[in-house]
Amino acid sequence: MISIKNLSKVFKTKDQTVNAVDDVSIDIPKGEIFGVIGYSGAGKSTFIRLINRLEDPSEGEIILDDQDIAALKKEPLRKKRQKIGMIFQHFNLLWSRTVFENIAFPLEIAGVQKNDREEKVQELIELVGLKGRENSYPSQLSGGQKQRVGIARALANDPTVLLCDEATSALDPETTDDILDLLVSINEKLNLTIILITHEMHVIQKVCHRVAVMEQGQVVEQGEVLNVFVKPQSKTTKRFVQQLSPLEHQIDRLDEFITDDEQSEVVKLHFIGNNAKRALISEVSKQLDVAINILQGSISPTQEGAYGTLYVEIKGERT
Amino acid sequence: MFNDIFPNVQMDQMWVATYETFYMTIISVIGTFILGILLGLLLYLTNRGNLWQNSIINSITASVVNVFRAIPFIILILLLFPFTDFLVGTIRGPNAALPALIIGAAPFYARLVEIALKEVDKGVIEAAQAMGAKAHTIIFKVLLPESMPALISGITVTAIALISYTAMAGVIGAGGLGDLAYMQGFQRRNFDVVFLCTIFIVVIVFIFQFLGDWSSRKVDHR
């Protein structure tokens, strides 16, 4: 359980002060994948760096396992950080070390004995699917493989939380999906809490249980991913949801299909969870005497089940 | 054939001088490497935004480095006579040249070390901090290994400067090929000796350049 209370970060320069993170409060239960989405400059990157104190908070509390990280002194903070894994957009691997040595690095820092170290590294290499590449250098790996090393390295000291700082933003769509699948399987296998920040709604949709939308340092909306998808409240959230089904929002294209016919009606349908798998349309047209014309539709799987939208034109007698 | 081209060369003297030049160069390169890395680390770490950010220590170190780099080497030797006499017990011979060689070259190398360290990816240092690494772990397991190719090419450049410094030191009695070229060659108008000493020094420079390039490539896995 991570409890973030009234977290703020103010950057002061000579002629201006910037509230990069402004009074953010979030509770994240153990084992949850929590996503923070926002455009660049929204403060999400500063937010995640506050959690392991790569930036020092100006105000607020970060309670992780009954300890306030924001109040820790240098030495206890160093120890605490060993239990907070982090992966980065640009991987940040040491090019001077092999895959094996990179993953062993956090274990060396934690003072783990050499034999135990080797065993743990082998275990991690298998977990992230890099068997056979132990002795390669990062420069010999693809982007996806580098991020796998990053993930293995972040998991080395059995962290209680994993922070992902735009971890898939430098990868192509296919590799992004592979890495996201890996994160989900680790989350399930180890019951590991994951906090990830991104600017891609696709990432949130695919892996997150809950999401917070950030804008100008503040959380403008947070909740279950499905709820946020179906009923986006703020303007920013609506724009992010549009990323997923761009067609849906090209109203003018739909206009062509909408006739002034008295006997017909165009409706937008949402499908959530298991309903999305039922043969709803044919059921309706069988039970009621209507003709249904499908105009446009999309369906996307999320962690909480499928989420779909459908535009249909219903023709029949009005009662 | 050899005696026709180099009538005044005595090979036993040549080998002794070559040995002395190697001796001075190798010991001073080792000394410069250690002192230069210490100074370079100090310059880098006390700089703004780095691990031991401290503007006072930074500007003191920078001034010392700049002052010693500004003194011409031949004058530095003269200035260091009393210090050398105290440290080595003599002001003649290869050992007497070492303090001046190291003090002359280390500040130059320190700047190269600082540049090399600045090239280390900030993200990698941050990753190590996020793992809970201590400062000395970051220095010895991140900063130095990640900048090693540049540290090696830097010490190669410095080593070649040091070879020419040893020749200069030779002129005031430090021994080595520079000494031989000046005393046996130039002073006695035996220009064949000067010429052969030059060839030997050039070969030594090539050897150091080759070793430097080779090992720099060897440690570079980027």
Side-chain angles (χ1 to χ4, degrees):
Chain A
M1 170 88 182
I2 301 171
S3 181
I4 292 161
K5 283 177 201 150
N6 310 106
L7 192 63
S8 294
K9 172 71 183 178
V10 183
F11 288 107
K12 277 189 186 132
T13 58
K14 259 184 199 149
D15 33 42
Q16 62 173 354
T17 52
V18 180
N19 292 305
V21 172
D22 193 359
D23 196 21
V24 169
S25 296
I26 296 173
D27 284 327
I28 303 166
K30 186 166 170 52
E32 184 171 82
I33 305 184
F34 190 91
V36 178
I37 191 166
Y39 290 104
S40 48
K44 56 189 192 306
S45 204
T46 308
F47 168 73
I48 202 159
R49 291 160 56 83
L50 286 171
I51 297 176
N52 64 358
R53 291 262 303 269
L54 283 178
E55 303 280 358
D56 278 322
S58 307
E59 240 175 276
E61 293 176 356
I62 306 154
I63 315 279
L64 174 60
D65 301 330
D66 302 323
Q67 255 183 321
D68 181 8
I69 295 175
L72 286 180
K73 295 256 184 306
K74 206 176 162 195
E75 199 50 30
L77 173 66
R78 209 175 57 69
K79 289 269 179 238
K80 191 79 181 168
R81 277 175 170 171
Q82 295 175 1
K83 290 287 177 192
I84 304 175
M86 189 171 198
I87 56 175
F88 304 86
Q89 178 174 9
H90 298 295
F91 324 122
N92 295 353
L93 304 176
L94 289 98
W95 60 255
S96 56
R97 289 176 166 236
T98 61
V99 167
F100 187 98
E101 292 163 342
N102 262 293
I103 300 172
F105 188 39
L107 296 166
E108 290 170 27
I109 289 172
V112 177
Q113 289 297 311
K114 194 159 184 280
N115 288 339
D116 301 338
R117 225 155 59 199
E118 273 169 20
E119 201 175 308
K120 183 77 190 175
V121 174
Q122 284 304 341
E123 207 177 282
L124 288 160
I125 283 176
E126 230 153 285
L127 178 73
V128 299
L130 279 176
K131 211 156 167 41
R133 302 310 303 262
E134 293 90 333
N135 297 317
S136 304
Y137 284 93
S139 61
Q140 298 164 312
L141 302 178
S142 69
Q145 287 170 325
K146 283 181 197 163
Q147 197 56 290
R148 282 168 193 273
V149 179
I151 292 171
R153 184 176 71 173
L155 297 177
N157 284 320
D158 302 313
T160 47
V161 57
L162 176 65
L163 308 175
C164 308
D165 186 359
E166 295 272 8
T168 59
S169 301
L171 303 172
D172 62 58
E174 208 167 307
T175 319
T176 296
D177 281 352
D178 288 345
I179 294 296
L180 293 178
D181 288 339
L182 178 63
L183 287 177
V184 172
S185 85
I186 286 165
N187 164 258
E188 284 165 0
K189 220 177 278 180
L190 309 174
N191 193 30
L192 177 66
T193 313
I194 298 178
I195 303 176
L196 64 85
I197 63 163
T198 182
H199 60 266
E200 293 169 304
M201 203 59 190
H202 165 79
V203 173
I204 301 284
Q205 170 231 318
K206 200 163 176 334
V207 300
C208 294
H209 301 117
R210 285 195 308 140
V211 61
V213 182
M214 273 188 87
E215 197 187 349
Q216 291 182 327
Q218 290 173 323
V219 170
V220 290
E221 195 164 345
Q222 64 170 311
E224 307 272 326
V225 170
L226 271 178
N227 283 340
V228 172
F229 270 36
V230 179
K231 297 179 208 107
Q233 304 295 320
S234 76
K235 215 175 156 193
T236 317
T237 317
K238 281 178 187 153
R239 276 171 71 196
F240 276 119
V241 175
Q242 280 176 30
Q243 277 184 5
L244 284 176
S245 43
L247 262 180
E248 186 186 324
H249 299 271
Q250 295 180 347
I251 304 291
D252 46 336
R253 293 243 180 115
L254 276 174
D255 270 347
E256 293 173 21
F257 298 99
I258 298 171
T259 51
D260 293 331
D261 194 339
E262 282 284 310
Q263 302 299 323
S264 87
E265 185 97 13
V266 174
V267 284
K268 177 186 176 186
L269 304 171
H270 286 295
F271 298 83
I272 299 166
N274 290 329
N275 286 335
K277 293 175 188 159
R278 270 174 60 194
L280 200 74
I281 299 284
S282 59
E283 272 175 43
V284 169
S285 83
K286 263 183 207 162
Q287 284 172 21
L288 312 165
D289 186 24
V290 289
I292 294 175
N293 179 24
I294 296 171
L295 299 177
Q296 192 251 326
S298 68
I299 188 158
S300 31
T302 73
Q303 279 291 297
E304 303 290 316
Y307 158 70
T309 53
L310 195 61
Y311 281 85
V312 295
E313 186 182 19
I314 303 172
K315 285 183 188 167
E317 231 162 275
R318 273 178 196 275
T319 53
Chain B
M1 171 73 181
F2 183 83
N3 288 332
D4 294 338
I5 307 174
F6 302 107
N8 306 307
V9 171
Q10 291 173 315
M11 277 320 281
D12 52 337
Q13 280 184 345
M14 281 300 294
W15 293 125
V16 170
T18 307
Y19 166 78
E20 283 171 349
T21 295
F22 262 109
Y23 174 81
M24 283 189 284
T25 309
I26 289 169
I27 303 288
S28 63
V29 163
I30 293 170
T32 302
F33 188 70
I34 295 167
L35 188 60
I37 284 187
L38 288 176
L39 282 170
L41 273 172
L42 201 58
L43 279 172
Y44 172 81
L45 292 170
T46 56
N47 209 343
R48 231 157 61 100
N50 289 339
L51 234 47
W52 298 339
Q53 183 173 334
N54 185 324
S55 56
I56 298 168
I57 295 181
N58 188 265
S59 44
I60 292 173
T61 317
S63 320
V64 170
V65 163
N66 289 343
V67 166
F68 276 93
R69 276 182 59 199
I71 304 173
F73 181 67
I74 197 84
I75 294 173
L76 186 70
I77 299 178
L78 305 177
L79 281 174
L80 286 178
F81 266 162
F83 176 67
T84 303
D85 198 15
F86 165 75
L87 203 71
V88 191
T90 172
I91 55 162
R92 295 196 61 82
N95 280 326
L98 292 176
L101 287 170
I102 294 169
I103 291 169
F108 171 69
Y109 184 51
R111 284 294 183 195
L112 297 182
V113 171
E114 189 194 6
I115 294 168
L117 294 173
K118 276 183 179 164
E119 291 297 308
V120 174
D121 186 358
K122 280 266 193 299
V124 176
I125 299 165
E126 205 157 70
Q129 283 173 324
M131 288 177 219
K134 289 182 188 148
H136 81 87
T137 311
I138 292 177
I139 292 168
F140 289 105
K141 293 193 166 183
V142 179
L143 284 173
L144 293 180
E146 291 281 303
S147 59
M148 199 44 87
L151 293 180
I152 291 176
S153 26
I155 199 65
T156 309
V157 172
T158 313
I160 286 160
L162 274 168
I163 294 169
S164 86
Y165 285 179
T166 64
M168 244 189 275
V171 174
I172 53 160
L177 288 163
D179 196 352
L180 192 70
Y182 183 69
M183 302 302 284
Q184 304 292 320
F186 182 78
Q187 296 281 32
R188 301 185 183 184
R189 315 226 159 228
N190 294 332
F191 288 105
D192 56 331
V193 175
V194 178
F195 185 58
L196 194 63
C197 285
T198 311
I199 292 175
F200 270 50
I201 287 175
V202 169
V203 169
I204 293 172
V205 167
F206 281 5
I207 291 171
F208 273 89
Q209 185 69 55
F210 173 79
L211 284 176
D213 289 347
W214 178 79
S215 38
S216 175
R217 230 177 303 124
K218 192 92 182 153
V219 297
D220 196 347
H221 299 292
R222 276 175 291 196

